[in-house]
Amino acid sequence: MKNIIKSIILAVFIGLQMGCKDFLDREPLSQVTPEAYLNEESQLAAYANKLYPDILPSFSSGEIGFSSDAHTDIAAYKGYDNRYAPGEWKVPHEGGNWEFTKIYSANYFMERVLPLWEAGEITGIKENIDHYIGEMYFLRALEYYKNVQEFGDFPIVKTVLKDEKGQLIEASKRFPRNEVARFILSDLDQAILLLQERAPDGQKNRISKASAQLIKSRVALFEGTWLKYFKNTPFVPNGTGWPGKDKDYNRSYQYPSGSIDNEIDYFLSQSMEAAMAVADNYPLVENNGVLQQDVTDAVNPYHDMFGSENMSAYSEVLLWRQYDKGLGITHDIVQRAQLGNGEVGLTRGYVNSFLMANGLPIYAQASGYAGDDVLADVRKNRDGRLWLFLKEPGQKNVLYESSEGTHSTLIEPIPDITESSQGWGYTTGYTVRKFNNYDQKHGGNGLAYTGSLAFRSVEAYLNYIEACYEKNKSLDGKAENYWKSIRRRARVNEDFQTTIAATNMSEEAKNNWAAYSAGQLVDATLYNIRRERGCELLYEGFRYADLRRWRSMDQLMTNSYHIEGFKLWGPMQTWYNKPAGGTKLIYGLNDPAANVSSPQTSKYLRPYEISAKSLVLGGYKWNMAHYLSPIAIQHFLISSENNEVSTSPIYQNPGWPTTANQGPSTL
């Protein structure tokens, strides 16, 4: 309680929305009590402010930016992730993300504020009071959604619990994941009722009704597709081997809609409805096919949107986070965009998945693909998003020079694929300029203050298209129009049927994990819907969640996958082994000085196959249990009788043991 009081004090006195009341009129800090706050409009806003950076996605949280899609099939960090080296990911003894701090904060607000609100005892403008309460419903929903993604079944706690072991143990019971998803949707429905179309400040820095509708479509799509692709497995309620059945409180569980199929249909329908409410009202910004560096006095709204200081003017933006150099609230995303993306690089498979501008895959006859011998060829006549964002040497990273940006890189260099000490190396050779701002003042070391785009309406377009096809196995007119508008903005032939007809799923399977669900190739239409999503949402933190809900890693249990970058062992190798190109290329698995993979292994750079000590030398592999995270052992112990794990109401996720420092079994 002391911590909560401190949080309220901090939120009220340094929150961004303190209102106009004179500071001297407030009670002295020594007299602050919980009852003295959360009964006035500006205090509600201030309380929500404190949770914004903790729950909402941003550069600072790592949920948006170059690292957000790393360790998937589309982006590779310098070091591999243990989840692709079966046996190396182990159950922790303590810690993990099984925690309720932010949920507790939201519940405290609800418990304190809702009775006052219902009694009409909160002072201020009613519409604004309603709005800030709606924000808290939204924030609680988003925090619960993160837990569903990571753990599946999860406790639903809606009140502030007393520090009594019996009550806490009872509250530790895990609800079936679809019930948690339904609870999230109910919170979002409350938020939608209370939130204004435009936040009280008139900007897009606060949550709005459209933000809640978008997240509702996201949550419903996630749960609907998860239930579909994990049906009859331990990863869904009542599936074969579902660990929830081992607990009395879940033993007789029945789906509220009657069956898992009805549940799938329910969530997909909810996703479509919520997505449509956003997509029909928030048009996409324009991509005019030019860049500032190509035409100095020209702008490209689509490109510039991601690196703007003020994102409120863009029609597509629903919510963004503002940074402020004067307050010391900055980031390093521009610096990373102007160098090696913070040692995160695009994979060859991802780059290959982009279509040609004519709508044909690169392998299709008469596609016009120029090849990948040099980076300039990779960009030629491609999907406008790849042409726009993929970097190549010689491009201008800075147009407007300033004495502030001492860590800027004015001209894009030859990719430094051997750099190992400064944190700015090019892991795969493929990097992008998404999030860049061409004003050098943002190039200081961690001193950029461009905005961070949290939610944008194109996701609603994509959610509707996918939910529609998953539900009906066909696309309605609205879905077709949404898809055409996305492709038109991407400057790709909007006739997606031409693409579908030319798609060879065996070829796509070589590059893109989204070609699979449950170890089987999906049909060409569904794959192209997923392709569109992947090409549009790069580095916005969606990929790993998408791959899990699609169950797109099963094939890695029998066939490993080699992460590759650009074609090093072709004409581009001449960039190196000379002063202008950086360090000499050295290869050989047993050579301690090796800095690149061998040409005998592949013509393409393999960042994880440079040393014989690499645990993924034979490629990425998968364990079925890895679709969900393990729960740390401490949580079983503190909710048990006499430290007997078996007496805890918590059950471990499928395949994971209840012993610390052990990996999962094979399911």
Side-chain angles (χ1 to χ4, degrees):
M1 180 58 74
K2 289 180 180 178
N3 289 334
I4 285 294
I5 295 172
K6 291 177 182 177
S7 296
I8 296 170
I9 297 169
L10 184 64
V12 171
F13 283 97
I14 69 170
L16 297 178
Q17 302 292 325
M18 290 185 63
C20 299
K21 185 180 290 187
D22 191 281
F23 180 81
L24 296 177
D25 289 338
R26 297 183 180 274
E27 294 184 50
L29 291 180
S30 61
Q31 298 179 20
V32 169
T33 62
E35 292 74 21
Y37 290 96
L38 296 179
N39 53 19
E40 190 264 322
E41 175 191 331
S42 67
Q43 296 165 2
L44 306 188
Y47 194 101
N49 286 347
K50 188 176 183 298
L51 289 178
Y52 263 58
D54 294 334
I55 296 179
L56 290 171
S58 68
F59 295 144
S60 302
S61 70
E63 294 181 69
I64 296 174
F66 301 117
S67 63
S68 64
D69 286 334
H71 303 309
T72 67
D73 60 330
I74 70 174
Y77 189 63
K78 183 179 180 180
Y80 57 82
D81 192 290
N82 280 344
R83 64 187 177 219
Y84 299 110
E88 293 302 308
W89 188 5
K90 303 179 189 299
V91 177
H93 176 73
E94 58 185 20
N97 293 325
W98 185 272
E99 59 90 23
F100 299 83
T101 305
K102 293 179 281 293
I103 292 172
Y104 179 91
S105 295
N107 287 343
Y108 178 86
F109 177 95
M110 300 294 187
E111 196 163 287
R112 167 71 183 151
V113 170
L114 293 184
L116 297 175
W117 176 57
E118 291 168 357
E121 296 177 2
I122 300 176
T123 61
I125 300 171
K126 181 183 184 305
E127 291 77 9
N128 293 352
I129 294 169
D130 291 351
H131 184 90
Y132 297 131
I133 294 172
E135 288 187 358
M136 293 303 300
Y137 274 111
F138 176 93
L139 290 167
R140 184 171 69 175
L142 190 57
E143 182 64 17
Y144 263 101
Y145 175 53
K146 294 177 184 179
N147 285 294
V148 168
Q149 290 180 77
E150 185 164 359
F151 298 110
D153 302 351
F154 197 73
I156 297 177
V157 182
K158 296 183 283 187
T159 61
V160 175
L161 303 175
K162 295 180 180 179
D163 190 11
E164 296 177 357
K165 186 172 182 178
Q167 186 180 90
L168 296 176
I169 289 176
E170 178 67 20
S172 295
K173 293 179 179 179
R174 298 178 70 181
F175 280 72
R177 57 173 302 123
N178 59 298
E179 298 284 357
V180 184
R182 282 175 172 268
F183 168 66
I184 295 169
L185 296 191
S186 69
D187 261 8
L188 290 170
D189 283 338
Q190 280 295 107
I192 291 167
L193 285 173
L194 295 170
L195 290 167
Q196 299 176 38
E197 295 289 347
R198 194 86 171 204
D201 63 1
Q203 299 300 310
K204 296 181 179 180
N205 297 132
R206 298 201 75 97
I207 299 160
S208 65
K209 186 185 296 291
S211 297
Q213 291 166 327
L214 178 68
I215 297 305
K216 182 179 179 181
S217 77
R218 182 190 297 182
V219 173
L221 179 61
F222 186 95
E223 191 59 24
T225 50
W226 182 286
L227 293 175
K228 177 176 180 177
Y229 291 113
F230 286 92
K231 184 180 177 180
N232 298 323
T233 74
F235 294 84
V236 296
N238 290 342
T240 303
W242 176 48
K245 278 289 188 184
D246 294 335
K247 298 297 181 182
D248 290 341
Y249 63 86
N250 272 333
R251 194 155 291 157
S252 59
Y253 179 72
Q254 296 295 324
Y255 285 100
S257 58
S259 70
I260 190 170
D261 291 326
N262 290 343
E263 205 76 351
I264 293 166
D265 187 76
Y266 165 77
F267 282 113
L268 294 177
S269 298
Q270 290 289 304
S271 181
M272 290 176 65
E273 179 183 348
M276 180 173 60
V278 177
D280 284 350
N281 291 289
Y282 292 86
L284 306 181
V285 302
E286 180 188 4
N287 172 9
N288 57 25
V290 299
L291 282 182
Q292 287 180 316
Q293 65 185 62
D294 298 324
V295 184
T296 304
D297 60 352
V299 295
N300 184 324
Y302 178 57
H303 172 275
D304 297 346
M305 171 176 64
F306 296 101
S308 173
E309 292 179 30
N310 186 339
M311 298 176 169
S312 290
Y314 295 96
S315 61
E316 186 173 339
V317 174
L318 304 181
L319 181 71
W320 64 286
R321 179 178 180 179
Q322 185 172 9
Y323 290 78
D324 190 303
K325 184 178 179 181
L327 295 176
I329 306 172
T330 57
H331 56 74
D332 64 359
I333 201 74
V334 174
Q335 198 179 1
R336 291 171 181 262
Q338 293 179 0
L339 286 164
N341 295 172
E343 296 187 314
V344 178
L346 301 186
T347 65
R348 175 194 173 211
Y350 179 61
V351 172
N352 284 353
S353 71
F354 279 86
L355 300 170
M356 304 301 294
N358 58 21
L360 295 177
I362 60 172
Y363 53 77
Q365 187 175 7
S367 70
Y369 180 50
D372 56 7
D373 280 348
V374 293
L375 290 174
D377 285 349
V378 176
R379 296 175 64 232
K380 284 181 181 176
N381 302 317
R382 298 294 291 277
D383 179 319
R385 293 166 293 201
L386 188 68
W387 177 86
L388 197 62
F389 293 121
L390 186 66
K391 295 200 290 183
E392 65 175 272
Q395 290 174 329
K396 294 180 181 178
N397 285 321
V398 172
L399 287 175
Y400 311 105
E401 296 189 33
S402 166
S403 60
E404 297 181 61
T406 55
H407 290 75
S408 291
T409 303
L410 303 184
I411 304 296
E412 180 63 22
I414 289 170
D416 189 352
I417 57 175
T418 63
E419 194 279 333
S420 61
S421 61
Q422 299 301 314
W424 301 107
Y426 289 63
T427 297
T428 67
Y430 284 132
T431 51
V432 298
R433 52 189 169 184
K434 192 173 185 178
F435 310 119
N436 191 26
N437 183 293
Y438 294 91
D439 192 323
Q440 193 176 9
K441 67 183 182 181
H442 292 292
N445 190 11
L447 296 178
Y449 48 96
T450 55
S452 178
L453 206 168
F455 308 133
R456 59 189 182 107
S457 63
V458 72
E459 184 197 344
Y461 292 59
L462 293 162
N463 291 352
Y464 186 94
I465 296 166
E466 185 182 345
C468 180
Y469 190 77
E470 289 282 16
K471 175 178 164 63
N472 303 317
K473 275 300 176 187
S474 62
L475 296 174
D476 60 22
K478 190 173 287 291
E480 291 182 351
N481 288 333
Y482 289 160
W483 199 352
K484 288 178 181 178
S485 67
I486 295 171
R487 287 173 66 114
R488 187 163 54 247
R489 197 264 294 279
R491 304 184 74 81
V492 176
N493 177 7
E494 64 183 68
D495 181 7
F496 55 81
Q497 293 295 348
T498 297
T499 304
I500 293 169
T503 297
N504 182 328
M505 289 305 298
S506 295
E507 287 291 329
E508 300 294 347
K510 298 175 183 178
N511 299 314
N512 199 314
W513 295 352
Y516 291 95
S517 278
Q520 302 296 316
L521 291 175
V522 300
D523 66 68
T525 301
L526 181 56
Y527 170 73
N528 277 288
I529 291 170
R530 294 177 178 182
R531 184 211 305 266
E532 198 72 59
R533 185 178 183 88
C535 291
E536 180 63 39
L537 298 176
L538 173 64
Y539 290 145
E540 296 179 52
F542 288 90
R543 189 61 173 184
Y544 188 48
D546 286 343
L547 291 171
R548 283 181 294 166
R549 68 184 176 87
W550 294 332
R551 195 177 162 187
S552 288
M553 278 84 83
D554 282 31
Q555 71 281 357
L556 301 182
M557 294 188 287
T558 53
N559 298 298
S560 58
Y561 183 89
H562 296 274
I563 296 293
E564 294 185 327
F566 74 169
K567 191 177 181 180
L568 172 61
W569 300 111
M572 286 188 287
Q573 68 180 290
T574 62
W575 288 350
Y576 305 95
N577 298 330
K578 55 185 180 181
T583 308
K584 180 180 179 181
L585 300 181
I586 303 172
Y587 58 87
L589 287 175
N590 296 311
D591 189 336
N595 52 27
V596 294
S597 56
S598 168
Q600 281 75 50
T601 300
S602 174
K603 295 180 294 183
Y604 298 90
L605 179 61
R606 291 186 172 182
Y608 306 144
E609 300 179 35
I610 297 172
S611 168
K613 296 180 180 180
S614 172
L615 295 179
V616 292
L617 190 63
Y620 269 4
K621 298 179 182 178
W622 190 252
N623 185 304
M624 191 73 177
H626 291 185
Y627 280 111
L628 292 175
S629 296
I631 301 169
I633 301 306
Q634 73 170 128
H635 303 298
F636 295 93
L637 296 177
I638 62 177
S639 60
S640 67
E641 298 292 339
N642 301 317
N643 287 331
E644 290 290 337
V645 170
S646 62
T647 65
S648 169
I650 303 173
Y651 47 89
Q652 186 60 282
N653 277 328
W656 292 102
T658 51
T659 304
N661 299 317
Q662 287 191 8
S665 59
T666 300
L667 292 172

